[in-house]
Amino acid sequence: MTSLEIAPKTNMAKVLFQRFVQSPVGGSAAALLLLIVAFALASDRFLVPYNLSLILQQSMVVGVLAIAQTIIILTAGIDLSIGATCVLGTIVIAQLVPDAGPYLALLGALAVCMMVGAANGFLVANIDLPPFIVTLGMFTIVSASTQLLAGSSTYPVSDPVLRILGQKVGLGQVKTTIGVFVLLALYLLAWYILGKTAGGKHLYAVGGSPVAASLSGIKTKRVLFLTYLISGVIAAIAAWVAVGRIPNADPNALQTANLDTITAVVIGGTSLFGGRGSVLGTLIGVLIVGVLRNGLTLIGVDNLYQNIATGCLVILAVAFDQFTRRRSR
């Protein structure tokens, strides 16, 4: 084989490698792999099937909420109330189920979470208020309302319908929960909607340039309103997942959910400036957050330091996003 025959193959491999590194999903996948290797070397318990299953289970609630955060950030918005809305949903479920039964309890939580999402969507889309301010204010309102509704009490949830998503099923040597399969199904559905439907294309268009989207005939206000409304629906689903995984409703739960969802979305390659990203990248980002927290716990790192590490990841991911945007101009 001559050098001329080797050169094209070498150049092709180099190009493919560069595309993989420059791709947001490729970079996230490489980061996930590096974390797995590092923690596997640091702790002999990391790659144990039980621990791998535990990572998936611990990532379920944040993973579901991260879908909502993704579609909102794709519109160049943000939702700082998503975790509090989910917690409110768990309290509503726990308080309604003794008298109304599990199905009406779930419908009640869905209605409440959709009201929060609708309020966010109306203020952002119709009043044209900044999403950061709107959802920060809504976070305070929902958190206080949850405390008032719960009375600072924790409510046990024992109904089998509500706990079904936490039911364990065998998958070879690994036992996981039904909620993990629901999580993957939701990501598959979100991937299809965002990538294969007109609604998904409209959402990307609004995030990329609202003015251009409006001039092309897209009803930008309706897209924004529906995005926040769907976020409320997803928060209700996450509330069901939460009471299934840990069978009680705690008004003080999910303290770091907002940070974790934003971290997962940004690390997964979705731009905070809107119009660019994917739920596949978000899923990888969720796994990165889960692996990071689990691995640091195994090697004995305090939870406060874990939060510091997560915060640093957000800053690095945003800095990388701005760097890539500047280079692409």
Side-chain angles (χ1 to χ4, degrees), residues 34-44 46-47 299:
L34 286 174
L35 277 178
I36 291 173
V37 172
F39 286 127
L41 294 174
S43 173
D44 56 2
F46 181 78
L47 290 180
I299 62 177

Side-chain angles (χ1 to χ4, degrees), residues 95-311:
Q95 290 194 343
L96 286 181
V97 69
D99 298 322
Y103 300 107
L104 286 179
L106 288 172
L107 286 175
L110 177 62
V112 170
C113 293
M114 286 180 67
M115 287 174 59
V116 176
N120 284 333
F122 175 78
L123 293 172
V124 171
N126 296 91
I127 310 300
D128 201 26
L129 296 178
F132 180 87
I133 300 300
V134 169
T135 58
L136 179 60
M138 192 60 69
F139 164 77
T140 305
I141 294 170
V142 173
S143 297
S145 300
T146 301
Q147 293 289 344
L148 290 171
L149 184 63
S152 300
S153 299
T154 299
Y155 295 84
V157 179
S158 58
D159 189 278
V161 173
L162 299 177
R163 295 185 60 181
I164 191 170
L165 297 184
Q167 182 178 330
K168 291 190 176 181
V169 293
L171 189 66
Q173 294 183 341
V174 179
K175 285 189 176 181
T176 188
T177 61
I178 294 175
V180 171
F181 294 101
V182 171
L183 172 68
L184 296 176
L186 288 172
Y187 270 91
L188 182 61
L189 177 62
W191 169 82
Y192 176 80
I193 292 174
L194 289 175
K196 305 295 181 180
T197 67
K201 292 180 174 62
H202 290 173
L203 190 144
Y204 276 100
V206 170
S209 175
V211 175
S214 180
L215 291 174
S216 66
I218 297 173
K219 297 181 179 179
T220 57
K221 290 185 177 181
R222 186 173 71 176
V223 170
L224 286 174
F225 177 79
L226 289 176
T227 299
Y228 283 91
L229 184 66
I230 292 170
S231 173
V233 174
I234 295 173
I237 297 173
W240 187 11
V241 173
V243 296
R245 181 177 176 268
I246 300 177
N248 62 66
D250 183 358
N252 299 307
L254 300 177
Q255 294 288 324
T256 63
N258 290 329
L259 176 63
D260 288 345
T261 57
I262 295 170
T263 303
V265 173
V266 177
I267 289 176
T270 298
S271 173
L272 283 174
F273 301 96
R276 179 169 61 86
S278 69
V279 289
L280 175 59
T282 296
L283 179 58
I284 296 174
V286 168
L287 293 177
I288 288 175
V289 174
V291 166
L292 180 66
R293 289 192 176 275
N294 178 271
L296 291 176
T297 300
L298 286 180
I299 62 177
V301 176
D302 186 87
N303 186 61
L304 294 176
Y305 290 106
Q306 294 181 28
N307 292 340
I308 291 174
T310 305

Side-chain angles (χ1 to χ4, degrees), residues 68-106:
Q69 196 71 265
T70 302
I71 63 174
I72 288 176
I73 290 179
L74 281 172
T75 65
I78 198 165
D79 191 350
L80 300 177
S81 65
I82 187 74
T85 305
C86 175
V87 174
L88 177 60
T90 64
I91 298 297
V92 171
I93 289 172
Q95 290 194 343
L96 286 181
V97 69
D99 298 322
Y103 300 107
L104 286 179
L106 288 172

